[in-house]
Amino acid sequence: MPRVVMRVNGKEVSGEVEPRTLLVEFLREHLGLTGTHVGCDTSQCGCCVVHLDGRSVKSCTVLAVQCEGAEVLTIEGLARNGELHPIQRAFHECHGLQCGFCTPGMIMSALELLQRHPAPTEPQVRAWLEGNLCRCTGYHNIVRAILQAAEEMRQAPRPAA
Amino acid sequence: MYAFEYHRPASVAEAVRLLREKPEAKLLAGGHTLIPTLKQRLAQPSDLVDLGGIAELRGIREEGGALVIGAATPHGEVETSDLVRRTIPALAHLAGEIGDPQVRNRGTIGGSIANNDPAADWPAAVLGLGATVRTDRREIAADDFFTGMFETALEADEIVTAVVFPRPRRAAYAKFPNPASRYAMVGVFVAETDGGVRVAVTGAAPCVFRLTALERALAANFAPEAVDGVTVDASELNSDIHASADYRAHLVKVMAKRAIASALG
Ligand SMILES: Cc1cc2nc3c(=O)[nH]c(=O)nc-3n(C[C@H](O)[C@H](O)[C@H](O)COP(=O)(O)OP(=O)(O)OC[C@H]3O[C@@H](n4cnc5c(N)ncnc54)[C@H](O)[C@@H]3O)c2cc1C
Ligand code: FES
Ligand code: FES
Protein backbone atom coordinates (compact mmCIF):
# COMPACT_ATOMS: atom_id res chain seq x y z
CA MET A 1 0.00 0.00 0.00
CA PRO A 2 1.27 3.48 -0.77
CA ARG A 3 2.59 5.54 2.09
CA VAL A 4 1.34 9.12 2.27
CA VAL A 5 2.98 11.96 4.17
CA MET A 6 1.30 15.32 4.78
CA ARG A 7 1.08 18.02 7.42
CA VAL A 8 -2.17 18.12 9.36
CA ASN A 9 -2.80 21.02 11.73
CA GLY A 10 0.89 21.86 11.64
CA LYS A 11 2.18 18.37 12.44
CA GLU A 12 3.72 15.95 9.98
CA VAL A 13 1.68 12.75 9.76
CA SER A 14 1.95 9.66 7.61
CA GLY A 15 0.11 6.45 6.99
CA GLU A 16 -0.25 3.47 4.70
CA VAL A 17 -3.43 3.88 2.69
CA GLU A 18 -5.17 2.19 -0.18
CA PRO A 19 -5.28 4.60 -3.11
CA ARG A 20 -9.09 4.66 -2.85
CA THR A 21 -8.95 6.03 0.71
CA LEU A 22 -10.64 9.43 0.88
CA LEU A 23 -8.95 12.29 2.69
CA VAL A 24 -11.86 12.37 5.16
CA GLU A 25 -11.37 8.66 5.92
CA PHE A 26 -7.67 9.22 6.47
CA LEU A 27 -8.41 12.09 8.88
CA ARG A 28 -11.15 10.30 10.81
CA GLU A 29 -10.06 6.68 10.77
CA HIS A 30 -6.27 6.82 10.59
CA LEU A 31 -5.67 10.00 12.57
CA GLY A 32 -8.73 9.92 14.83
CA LEU A 33 -9.64 13.49 13.88
CA THR A 34 -13.39 12.98 13.95
CA GLY A 35 -14.29 16.67 14.01
CA THR A 36 -14.55 16.53 10.22
CA HIS A 37 -17.92 14.96 9.46
CA VAL A 38 -19.37 12.97 6.58
CA GLY A 39 -22.93 14.04 5.84
CA CYS A 40 -23.75 13.00 2.31
CA ASP A 41 -20.61 11.39 0.91
CA THR A 42 -21.78 12.72 -2.47
CA SER A 43 -19.97 16.08 -2.61
CA GLN A 44 -23.09 18.09 -1.81
CA CYS A 45 -23.38 18.98 1.87
CA GLY A 46 -20.06 20.47 2.94
CA CYS A 47 -19.92 18.76 6.37
CA CYS A 48 -16.49 17.44 5.42
CA VAL A 49 -14.85 20.76 4.45
CA VAL A 50 -11.20 21.16 5.46
CA HIS A 51 -8.44 23.38 4.10
CA LEU A 52 -5.97 21.86 1.66
CA ASP A 53 -3.00 24.13 0.97
CA GLY A 54 -5.03 27.11 2.14
CA ARG A 55 -8.20 26.43 0.14
CA SER A 56 -11.44 24.94 1.44
CA VAL A 57 -12.26 21.56 -0.11
CA LYS A 58 -14.74 18.74 0.40
CA SER A 59 -12.54 16.06 1.93
CA CYS A 60 -15.00 13.34 0.86
CA THR A 61 -14.08 14.19 -2.74
CA VAL A 62 -10.28 14.15 -2.47
CA LEU A 63 -8.13 11.04 -2.25
CA ALA A 64 -5.63 10.88 0.61
CA VAL A 65 -2.86 10.03 -1.88
CA GLN A 66 -3.56 13.30 -3.73
CA CYS A 67 -2.50 15.16 -0.57
CA GLU A 68 1.09 13.90 -0.54
CA GLY A 69 3.23 16.76 0.77
CA ALA A 70 0.21 19.00 1.33
CA GLU A 71 -0.79 21.18 4.25
CA VAL A 72 -4.19 20.25 5.74
CA LEU A 73 -6.10 22.24 8.34
CA THR A 74 -9.11 20.73 10.12
CA ILE A 75 -11.53 22.08 12.72
CA GLU A 76 -9.26 20.62 15.43
CA GLY A 77 -6.48 22.94 14.29
CA LEU A 78 -8.38 26.19 14.89
CA ALA A 79 -8.37 26.69 18.66
CA ARG A 80 -5.13 28.01 20.18
CA ASN A 81 -4.07 27.07 23.70
CA GLY A 82 -7.59 26.11 24.57
CA GLU A 83 -9.02 29.35 23.22
CA LEU A 84 -11.62 29.10 20.49
CA HIS A 85 -11.04 30.71 17.11
CA PRO A 86 -13.18 33.88 16.69
CA ILE A 87 -15.40 32.05 14.17
CA GLN A 88 -15.96 29.18 16.60
CA ARG A 89 -16.74 31.63 19.38
CA ALA A 90 -19.16 33.58 17.19
CA PHE A 91 -21.06 30.40 16.25
CA HIS A 92 -21.40 29.70 19.96
CA GLU A 93 -22.49 33.23 20.86
CA CYS A 94 -24.88 33.73 17.94
CA HIS A 95 -26.49 30.31 18.33
CA GLY A 96 -25.16 29.38 14.88
CA LEU A 97 -25.74 25.69 15.48
CA GLN A 98 -28.32 23.31 16.79
CA CYS A 99 -27.29 19.67 16.31
CA GLY A 100 -23.81 20.80 15.26
CA PHE A 101 -23.36 18.26 12.50
CA CYS A 102 -22.76 20.83 9.77
CA THR A 103 -20.75 23.16 12.00
CA PRO A 104 -17.15 22.05 11.38
CA GLY A 105 -17.68 22.34 7.62
CA MET A 106 -19.47 25.67 7.97
CA ILE A 107 -16.62 27.08 10.03
CA MET A 108 -13.85 25.82 7.73
CA SER A 109 -15.74 27.21 4.74
CA ALA A 110 -16.30 30.55 6.50
CA LEU A 111 -12.60 30.70 7.33
CA GLU A 112 -11.64 30.80 3.66
CA LEU A 113 -14.29 33.44 2.98
CA LEU A 114 -12.91 35.69 5.71
CA GLN A 115 -9.33 35.11 4.60
CA ARG A 116 -10.25 36.26 1.12
CA HIS A 117 -12.83 38.90 2.06
CA PRO A 118 -12.29 40.30 5.56
CA ALA A 119 -15.39 42.50 5.27
CA PRO A 120 -18.03 40.48 3.41
CA THR A 121 -21.58 41.68 2.93
CA GLU A 122 -24.47 39.52 4.06
CA PRO A 123 -25.32 38.45 0.48
CA GLN A 124 -21.65 37.52 -0.01
CA VAL A 125 -21.76 35.30 3.07
CA ARG A 126 -24.96 33.62 1.91
CA ALA A 127 -23.59 33.05 -1.59
CA TRP A 128 -20.34 31.64 -0.20
CA LEU A 129 -22.27 29.06 1.86
CA GLU A 130 -23.77 27.56 -1.32
CA GLY A 131 -21.94 24.28 -0.69
CA ASN A 132 -22.76 23.97 3.02
CA LEU A 133 -26.13 22.51 3.97
CA CYS A 134 -27.69 22.81 7.43
CA ARG A 135 -30.81 20.88 8.38
CA CYS A 136 -31.44 22.73 11.62
CA THR A 137 -30.79 26.42 11.86
CA GLY A 138 -32.34 28.00 8.77
CA TYR A 139 -28.89 29.57 8.19
CA HIS A 140 -29.81 32.94 9.65
CA ASN A 141 -27.72 32.64 12.81
CA ILE A 142 -24.87 31.06 10.88
CA VAL A 143 -24.73 34.16 8.69
CA ARG A 144 -24.90 36.38 11.78
CA ALA A 145 -22.07 34.45 13.38
CA ILE A 146 -19.84 34.82 10.35
CA LEU A 147 -20.52 38.56 10.13
CA GLN A 148 -19.77 38.95 13.83
CA ALA A 149 -16.54 36.95 13.51
CA ALA A 150 -15.51 39.06 10.52
CA GLU A 151 -15.93 42.21 12.54
CA GLU A 152 -13.98 40.80 15.46
CA MET A 153 -11.18 39.50 13.26
CA ARG A 154 -10.85 42.90 11.60
CA GLN A 155 -10.48 44.57 14.97
CA ALA A 156 -8.13 42.02 16.49
CA PRO A 157 -6.43 40.12 13.69
CA ARG A 158 -4.62 37.06 14.90
CA PRO A 159 -1.73 35.46 13.07
CA ALA A 160 -2.78 33.07 10.28
CA ALA A 161 -4.68 30.06 11.64
CA MET B 1 -15.13 2.41 -4.84
CA TYR B 2 -13.34 -0.49 -6.51
CA ALA B 3 -9.60 -0.64 -5.86
CA PHE B 4 -7.18 0.94 -8.34
CA GLU B 5 -3.51 1.85 -8.60
CA TYR B 6 -2.53 5.49 -8.31
CA HIS B 7 0.11 7.34 -10.32
CA ARG B 8 1.28 10.92 -10.07
CA PRO B 9 3.39 11.68 -13.14
CA ALA B 10 5.41 14.90 -13.31
CA SER B 11 4.99 15.51 -17.04
CA VAL B 12 2.37 15.19 -19.76
CA ALA B 13 4.62 12.79 -21.69
CA GLU B 14 4.84 10.47 -18.69
CA ALA B 15 1.05 10.64 -18.23
CA VAL B 16 0.48 9.67 -21.87
CA ARG B 17 2.95 6.79 -21.50
CA LEU B 18 1.02 5.53 -18.44
CA LEU B 19 -2.30 5.72 -20.32
CA ARG B 20 -0.78 3.66 -23.14
CA GLU B 21 0.68 1.06 -20.81
CA LYS B 22 -2.53 0.64 -18.83
CA PRO B 23 -5.48 0.47 -21.20
CA GLU B 24 -7.99 0.55 -18.32
CA ALA B 25 -6.46 3.68 -16.77
CA LYS B 26 -8.28 6.98 -16.34
CA LEU B 27 -7.02 10.52 -15.85
CA LEU B 28 -7.77 12.24 -12.56
CA ALA B 29 -7.90 16.05 -12.53
CA GLY B 30 -10.03 17.82 -9.89
CA GLY B 31 -11.88 14.58 -9.22
CA HIS B 32 -15.22 16.35 -8.77
CA THR B 33 -16.88 14.27 -11.44
CA LEU B 34 -14.67 11.20 -11.37
CA ILE B 35 -14.53 10.52 -7.60
CA PRO B 36 -18.35 10.64 -7.21
CA THR B 37 -18.58 8.32 -10.24
CA LEU B 38 -16.11 5.88 -8.68
CA LYS B 39 -17.96 5.96 -5.36
CA GLN B 40 -21.11 4.84 -7.13
CA ARG B 41 -19.13 2.09 -8.86
CA LEU B 42 -20.21 3.43 -12.22
CA ALA B 43 -16.64 3.05 -13.46
CA GLN B 44 -13.87 0.62 -12.63
CA PRO B 45 -10.53 1.95 -13.86
CA SER B 46 -7.48 -0.21 -13.11
CA ASP B 47 -5.33 2.86 -12.57
CA LEU B 48 -5.77 6.58 -11.94
CA VAL B 49 -3.26 8.91 -13.51
CA ASP B 50 -3.34 12.13 -11.46
CA LEU B 51 -2.63 15.32 -13.40
CA GLY B 52 -2.24 17.27 -10.15
CA GLY B 53 1.54 17.00 -10.11
CA ILE B 54 2.09 18.42 -13.61
CA ALA B 55 2.95 22.11 -13.22
CA GLU B 56 2.83 22.84 -16.98
CA LEU B 57 -0.92 22.09 -17.02
CA ARG B 58 -1.83 24.79 -14.56
CA GLY B 59 -2.02 28.53 -15.02
CA ILE B 60 -3.45 31.34 -17.09
CA ARG B 61 -1.49 33.45 -19.56
CA GLU B 62 -1.81 35.66 -22.62
CA GLU B 63 -0.44 34.38 -25.90
CA GLY B 64 -0.56 36.57 -29.00
CA GLY B 65 -3.74 38.34 -27.90
CA ALA B 66 -5.48 35.10 -26.87
CA LEU B 67 -6.09 33.87 -23.34
CA VAL B 68 -4.63 30.44 -22.60
CA ILE B 69 -6.00 28.52 -19.63
CA GLY B 70 -4.12 25.38 -18.58
CA ALA B 71 -6.28 22.25 -18.43
CA ALA B 72 -5.65 21.61 -14.71
CA THR B 73 -6.50 25.17 -13.66
CA PRO B 74 -9.34 25.11 -11.12
CA HIS B 75 -12.50 27.12 -11.82
CA GLY B 76 -11.83 29.31 -8.77
CA GLU B 77 -8.51 30.44 -10.19
CA VAL B 78 -10.22 31.57 -13.39
CA GLU B 79 -12.97 33.29 -11.39
CA THR B 80 -10.49 35.41 -9.41
CA SER B 81 -7.81 35.97 -12.07
CA ASP B 82 -7.13 39.65 -12.78
CA LEU B 83 -5.92 38.75 -16.24
CA VAL B 84 -9.20 36.97 -17.07
CA ARG B 85 -11.29 39.77 -15.59
CA ARG B 86 -9.41 42.28 -17.71
CA THR B 87 -9.37 40.35 -20.99
CA ILE B 88 -12.49 38.13 -21.09
CA PRO B 89 -14.58 38.95 -18.00
CA ALA B 90 -17.38 36.64 -19.19
CA LEU B 91 -15.10 33.68 -18.40
CA ALA B 92 -14.47 34.83 -14.83
CA HIS B 93 -18.22 35.27 -14.40
CA LEU B 94 -18.98 31.81 -15.81
CA ALA B 95 -16.32 30.14 -13.65
CA GLY B 96 -17.73 31.87 -10.57
CA GLU B 97 -21.17 30.39 -11.21
CA ILE B 98 -19.99 26.78 -11.21
CA GLY B 99 -21.17 24.74 -8.21
CA ASP B 100 -19.95 26.19 -4.93
CA PRO B 101 -16.62 27.56 -3.67
CA GLN B 102 -15.29 24.12 -2.72
CA VAL B 103 -16.19 22.65 -6.11
CA ARG B 104 -14.45 25.63 -7.75
CA ASN B 105 -11.33 25.06 -5.65
CA ARG B 106 -10.91 21.56 -7.10
CA GLY B 107 -12.78 21.18 -10.40
CA THR B 108 -10.81 22.05 -13.54
CA ILE B 109 -11.62 23.36 -17.01
CA GLY B 110 -9.89 20.37 -18.65
CA GLY B 111 -11.91 17.88 -16.62
CA SER B 112 -15.11 19.72 -17.38
CA ILE B 113 -14.72 19.80 -21.14
CA ALA B 114 -13.29 16.26 -21.36
CA ASN B 115 -16.34 15.04 -19.45
CA ASN B 116 -18.75 17.12 -21.59
CA ASP B 117 -21.71 16.85 -19.24
CA PRO B 118 -24.79 18.18 -21.09
CA ALA B 119 -25.38 20.64 -18.23
CA ALA B 120 -21.78 21.80 -17.69
CA ASP B 121 -20.88 25.47 -18.05
CA TRP B 122 -17.42 25.45 -19.66
CA PRO B 123 -18.55 23.84 -22.94
CA ALA B 124 -20.76 26.90 -23.55
CA ALA B 125 -17.79 29.26 -23.30
CA VAL B 126 -15.48 27.07 -25.36
CA LEU B 127 -18.03 26.74 -28.17
CA GLY B 128 -19.40 30.28 -27.78
CA LEU B 129 -15.99 31.89 -28.21
CA GLY B 130 -14.83 29.46 -30.90
CA ALA B 131 -11.91 28.47 -28.69
CA THR B 132 -9.26 25.91 -29.56
CA VAL B 133 -8.64 22.86 -27.39
CA ARG B 134 -4.96 22.03 -27.16
CA THR B 135 -3.97 18.44 -26.43
CA ASP B 136 -0.68 16.60 -26.07
CA ARG B 137 -0.75 15.93 -29.85
CA ARG B 138 -2.95 18.44 -31.72
CA GLU B 139 -5.28 21.41 -31.68
CA ILE B 140 -9.02 20.81 -31.95
CA ALA B 141 -11.47 23.56 -32.90
CA ALA B 142 -14.40 23.89 -30.49
CA ASP B 143 -16.81 23.19 -33.36
CA ASP B 144 -15.23 19.73 -33.74
CA PHE B 145 -14.57 18.97 -30.07
CA PHE B 146 -18.00 18.36 -28.49
CA THR B 147 -19.42 15.41 -30.40
CA GLY B 148 -22.36 14.23 -28.27
CA MET B 149 -23.63 13.51 -24.77
CA PHE B 150 -20.52 12.93 -22.60
CA GLU B 151 -18.64 12.48 -25.91
CA THR B 152 -15.73 14.45 -27.32
CA ALA B 153 -13.24 14.17 -30.16
CA LEU B 154 -10.53 13.08 -27.69
CA GLU B 155 -8.81 9.74 -28.24
CA ALA B 156 -8.61 7.30 -25.33
CA ASP B 157 -5.02 8.21 -24.47
CA GLU B 158 -5.23 11.92 -25.33
CA ILE B 159 -4.77 14.65 -22.73
CA VAL B 160 -6.19 18.16 -22.91
CA THR B 161 -3.33 20.51 -22.02
CA ALA B 162 -4.98 23.93 -22.41
CA VAL B 163 -7.84 25.88 -23.93
CA VAL B 164 -7.00 28.88 -26.11
CA PHE B 165 -9.70 31.57 -26.05
CA PRO B 166 -9.56 34.29 -28.70
CA ARG B 167 -10.49 37.68 -27.29
CA PRO B 168 -14.00 38.68 -28.36
CA ARG B 169 -15.20 42.26 -28.90
CA ARG B 170 -17.78 41.50 -26.27
CA ALA B 171 -19.23 38.41 -24.65
CA ALA B 172 -21.41 37.30 -21.77
CA TYR B 173 -22.92 34.19 -20.20
CA ALA B 174 -26.32 33.87 -18.55
CA LYS B 175 -27.32 30.72 -16.73
CA PHE B 176 -30.47 29.48 -15.10
CA PRO B 177 -29.00 27.17 -12.48
CA ASN B 178 -30.75 24.07 -11.23
CA PRO B 179 -31.57 25.19 -7.69
CA ALA B 180 -30.23 21.96 -6.17
CA SER B 181 -27.16 21.06 -8.20
CA ARG B 182 -26.21 24.48 -9.65
CA TYR B 183 -25.54 22.85 -13.00
CA ALA B 184 -27.13 24.71 -15.90
CA MET B 185 -30.78 24.01 -16.54
CA VAL B 186 -30.07 26.31 -19.47
CA GLY B 187 -26.98 28.43 -20.04
CA VAL B 188 -26.41 30.72 -23.02
CA PHE B 189 -23.06 32.18 -24.04
CA VAL B 190 -23.09 34.99 -26.61
CA ALA B 191 -20.03 36.51 -28.21
CA GLU B 192 -19.32 39.09 -30.85
CA THR B 193 -15.99 38.00 -32.28
CA ASP B 194 -13.81 39.09 -35.19
CA GLY B 195 -15.25 36.11 -37.07
CA GLY B 196 -18.89 37.05 -36.38
CA VAL B 197 -21.51 36.47 -33.72
CA ARG B 198 -21.57 33.11 -31.92
CA VAL B 199 -24.22 31.76 -29.56
CA ALA B 200 -23.74 28.51 -27.63
CA VAL B 201 -26.40 26.81 -25.50
CA THR B 202 -25.72 24.32 -22.72
CA GLY B 203 -28.03 22.42 -20.38
CA ALA B 204 -30.88 22.32 -22.86
CA ALA B 205 -29.99 19.41 -25.12
CA PRO B 206 -27.89 16.21 -24.92
CA CYS B 207 -24.83 18.24 -25.99
CA VAL B 208 -23.86 21.91 -26.11
CA PHE B 209 -24.89 23.42 -29.49
CA ARG B 210 -24.79 26.65 -31.49
CA LEU B 211 -28.03 28.53 -32.04
CA THR B 212 -27.33 29.62 -35.58
CA ALA B 213 -30.71 31.29 -36.16
CA LEU B 214 -29.97 33.67 -33.30
CA GLU B 215 -26.41 34.19 -34.52
CA ARG B 216 -27.83 35.47 -37.83
CA ALA B 217 -30.35 37.69 -36.10
CA LEU B 218 -27.70 39.17 -33.84
CA ALA B 219 -25.34 39.76 -36.75
CA ALA B 220 -28.00 42.08 -38.14
CA ASN B 221 -28.90 43.64 -34.79
CA PHE B 222 -26.90 42.87 -31.65
CA ALA B 223 -29.68 43.66 -29.18
CA PRO B 224 -31.96 41.70 -26.83
CA GLU B 225 -34.97 42.38 -29.11
CA ALA B 226 -33.33 40.32 -31.84
CA VAL B 227 -34.24 37.21 -29.82
CA ASP B 228 -37.97 37.85 -30.26
CA GLY B 229 -37.96 36.92 -33.94
CA VAL B 230 -36.15 33.59 -33.39
CA THR B 231 -37.91 30.27 -32.81
CA VAL B 232 -36.25 27.67 -30.60
CA ASP B 233 -37.28 24.16 -31.61
CA ALA B 234 -38.24 22.24 -28.45
CA SER B 235 -38.34 18.87 -30.22
CA GLU B 236 -34.54 18.51 -29.92
CA LEU B 237 -34.37 19.57 -26.26
CA ASN B 238 -34.28 17.56 -23.02
CA SER B 239 -37.31 16.82 -20.86
CA ASP B 240 -36.63 15.54 -17.35
CA ILE B 241 -37.84 15.92 -13.77
CA HIS B 242 -36.31 19.39 -13.67
CA ALA B 243 -37.87 20.93 -16.75
CA SER B 244 -39.85 20.07 -19.87
CA ALA B 245 -38.45 20.66 -23.34
CA ASP B 246 -40.92 23.52 -23.89
CA TYR B 247 -39.83 25.20 -20.70
CA ARG B 248 -36.18 24.81 -21.67
CA ALA B 249 -36.92 26.31 -25.10
CA HIS B 250 -38.46 29.28 -23.32
CA LEU B 251 -35.48 29.58 -20.96
CA VAL B 252 -33.07 29.61 -23.92
CA LYS B 253 -34.67 32.83 -25.16
CA VAL B 254 -34.79 34.41 -21.71
CA MET B 255 -31.15 33.55 -20.96
CA ALA B 256 -30.10 34.69 -24.45
CA LYS B 257 -31.70 38.10 -23.84
CA ARG B 258 -29.99 38.42 -20.48
CA ALA B 259 -26.64 37.45 -21.94
CA ILE B 260 -26.96 39.96 -24.77
CA ALA B 261 -27.99 42.73 -22.39
CA SER B 262 -25.06 41.95 -20.17
CA ALA B 263 -22.63 41.81 -23.12
CA LEU B 264 -23.80 45.30 -24.07
CA GLY B 265 -22.90 46.30 -20.52
C1 LIG C 1 -21.58 19.52 -6.04
C2 LIG C 1 -21.07 19.76 -7.44
C3 LIG C 1 -21.61 20.80 -8.18
C4 LIG C 1 -21.16 21.05 -9.48
N1 LIG C 1 -21.71 22.07 -10.17
C5 LIG C 1 -21.31 22.30 -11.44
C6 LIG C 1 -21.86 23.38 -12.20
O1 LIG C 1 -22.68 24.16 -11.74
N2 LIG C 1 -21.43 23.55 -13.47
C7 LIG C 1 -20.47 22.74 -14.03
O2 LIG C 1 -20.11 22.96 -15.16
N3 LIG C 1 -19.93 21.73 -13.33
C8 LIG C 1 -20.31 21.50 -12.05
N4 LIG C 1 -19.74 20.48 -11.35
C9 LIG C 1 -18.71 19.65 -12.00
C10 LIG C 1 -17.32 20.20 -11.72
O3 LIG C 1 -17.12 21.40 -12.41
C11 LIG C 1 -16.28 19.15 -12.12
O4 LIG C 1 -15.16 19.44 -11.38
C12 LIG C 1 -15.90 19.11 -13.58
O5 LIG C 1 -16.98 18.85 -14.42
C13 LIG C 1 -14.89 18.00 -13.86
O6 LIG C 1 -13.63 18.52 -13.64
P1 LIG C 1 -12.59 17.78 -12.72
O7 LIG C 1 -11.32 18.53 -12.84
O8 LIG C 1 -13.16 17.62 -11.38
O9 LIG C 1 -12.41 16.40 -13.49
P2 LIG C 1 -12.34 14.83 -13.02
O10 LIG C 1 -13.52 14.54 -12.19
O11 LIG C 1 -11.00 14.64 -12.39
O12 LIG C 1 -12.37 14.18 -14.40
C14 LIG C 1 -13.55 14.15 -15.21
C15 LIG C 1 -13.31 13.35 -16.49
O13 LIG C 1 -12.43 14.06 -17.39
C16 LIG C 1 -11.25 13.32 -17.64
N5 LIG C 1 -10.16 14.31 -17.66
C17 LIG C 1 -9.83 15.16 -16.66
N6 LIG C 1 -8.84 16.00 -17.05
C18 LIG C 1 -8.54 15.67 -18.34
C19 LIG C 1 -7.61 16.20 -19.29
N7 LIG C 1 -6.79 17.21 -19.01
N8 LIG C 1 -7.56 15.61 -20.53
C20 LIG C 1 -8.40 14.58 -20.83
N9 LIG C 1 -9.30 14.06 -19.97
C21 LIG C 1 -9.37 14.60 -18.74
C22 LIG C 1 -11.15 12.30 -16.54
O14 LIG C 1 -10.46 11.15 -16.94
C23 LIG C 1 -12.61 12.02 -16.24
O15 LIG C 1 -13.12 11.09 -17.15
C24 LIG C 1 -20.16 20.22 -10.04
C25 LIG C 1 -19.60 19.17 -9.30
C26 LIG C 1 -20.05 18.94 -8.00
C27 LIG C 1 -19.44 17.82 -7.21
S1 FES D 1 -19.77 14.60 3.13
FE1 FES D 1 -18.50 15.67 1.77
S2 FES D 1 -19.86 17.04 0.85
FE2 FES D 1 -21.19 15.88 2.13
S1 FES E 1 -26.88 22.56 13.07
FE1 FES E 1 -27.76 20.67 12.57
S2 FES E 1 -27.22 20.48 10.49
FE2 FES E 1 -26.60 22.46 10.94
Side-chain angles (χ1 to χ4, degrees), chain A residues 21-161:
Chain A
T21 307
L22 301 170
L23 174 59
V24 71
E25 293 168 342
F26 181 68
L27 294 170
R28 290 178 57 87
E29 289 159 29
H30 292 244
L31 304 181
L33 294 173
T34 53
T36 303
H37 294 163
V38 177
C40 64
D41 200 25
T42 58
S43 323
Q44 313 279 333
C45 75
C47 283
C48 63
V49 170
V50 302
H51 283 211
L52 178 60
D53 290 328
R55 292 274 182 253
S56 60
V57 303
K58 295 174 179 175
S59 62
C60 76
T61 315
V62 178
L63 302 173
V65 286
Q66 290 179 282
C67 305
E68 176 65 36
E71 188 82 45
V72 175
L73 180 69
T74 72
I75 189 75
E76 288 91 344
L78 284 193
R80 295 261 180 84
N81 308 320
E83 205 179 300
L84 293 181
H85 186 281
I87 307 179
Q88 292 174 301
R89 200 166 49 240
F91 267 68
H92 177 79
E93 286 168 6
C94 299
H95 205 63
L97 62 147
Q98 288 176 25
C99 80
F101 200 82
C102 68
T103 314
M106 286 284 176
I107 290 178
M108 296 313 291
S109 178
L111 179 64
E112 190 189 357
L113 169 71
L114 299 187
Q115 284 168 344
R116 288 180 181 225
H117 306 283
T121 60
E122 184 186 324
Q124 248 178 326
V125 174
R126 289 188 185 275
W128 183 271
L129 295 180
E130 178 65 49
N132 292 89
L133 302 182
C134 175
R135 299 168 302 178
C136 305
T137 63
Y139 301 96
H140 192 64
N141 286 347
I142 292 176
V143 175
R144 277 207 316 141
I146 294 170
L147 290 170
Q148 177 178 312
E151 169 111 36
E152 192 182 321
M153 287 164 73
R154 284 200 304 277
Q155 274 160 18
R158 62 178 219 165

Side-chain angles (χ1 to χ4, degrees), chain B residues 13 51 56 73 173 182 187 200 226 239 256-257:
Chain B
L51 300 175
E56 62 189 288
T73 309
Y173 180 61
R182 295 284 132 183
S239 271
K257 278 192 180 178

